[in-house]
Amino acid sequence: MHAVNHHDYLRLSYRPDLQLLFMRWVRPVSSEEHRSGYAAALELAQPHQSNHWLIDLRSRGLASVEDLMWVLTTFRGLLQQSGLPAPRRLAYLVTPYQAETMDERLLTLEPTIAEHIRRGADVHHFTEELPAQDWLRRSS
């Protein structure tokens, strides 16, 4: 396993046996930290060609709508241009309470995003880690 601690708010690791990048947020973050964390994850992913990410939001909580929209648009574009192979998938691990809010946000925001941007990465959320990992592996 290749692990990187990104400041005091994010634990990044790559598991070659699973071919998964793990982003485990450990506290609420500012927009700047949010974007910095995703940039650090992309930097870790590139040498491993890791196109499947498990992003654990349970300790951090959900991002603001603006920060989620940044992931769904700008960051997807960065993923598409990154050289990481398709299909790229982002599996979010959330609490059951957070899942309802995440459903509402994705149902509202995703239809407003152009198809060519959505192709940057598939996004789905889970309340349990094993189903998330299964979804990520099924796309390999």
Side-chain angles (χ1 to χ4, degrees):
M1 175 169 53
H2 306 277
V4 176
N5 290 336
H6 194 68
H7 301 290
D8 66 333
Y9 55 86
L10 179 62
R11 304 292 176 257
L12 293 172
S13 60
Y14 174 72
R15 292 270 312 265
D17 57 325
L18 299 175
Q19 297 181 318
L20 293 178
L21 182 131
F22 290 84
M23 289 181 76
R24 297 199 188 270
W25 297 93
V26 297
R27 67 163 172 82
V29 296
S30 67
S31 290
E32 182 180 319
E33 290 168 327
H34 180 258
R35 293 172 189 198
S36 176
Y38 276 90
L42 184 55
E43 189 175 316
L44 177 62
Q46 286 179 310
H48 303 289
Q49 289 294 285
S50 180
N51 57 344
H52 298 122
W53 297 19
L54 181 69
I55 304 166
D56 188 345
L57 301 178
R58 294 173 298 180
S59 294
R60 183 194 85 179
L62 298 178
S64 68
V65 172
E66 294 79 16
D67 285 339
L68 175 59
M69 193 63 165
W70 176 85
V71 170
L72 296 177
T73 56
T74 303
F75 190 71
R76 270 182 170 158
L78 293 172
L79 281 173
Q80 204 164 26
Q81 297 166 12
S82 69
L84 296 179
R88 292 166 292 274
R89 283 191 161 186
L90 305 178
Y92 285 92
L93 190 57
V94 298
T95 67
Y97 174 77
Q98 294 166 334
E100 186 177 323
T101 302
M102 189 72 144
D103 277 338
E104 292 170 7
R105 287 179 178 181
L106 289 174
L107 285 172
T108 301
L109 297 175
E110 282 284 70
T112 68
I113 300 168
E115 175 63 29
H116 74 278
I117 294 172
R118 288 197 314 264
R119 277 183 283 200
D122 296 327
V123 175
H124 198 67
H125 68 278
F126 301 85
T127 57
E128 296 178 23
E129 192 158 331
L130 287 178
Q133 287 185 25
D134 288 344
W135 179 74
L136 290 167
R137 278 196 295 267
R138 279 197 313 267
S139 72
S140 297

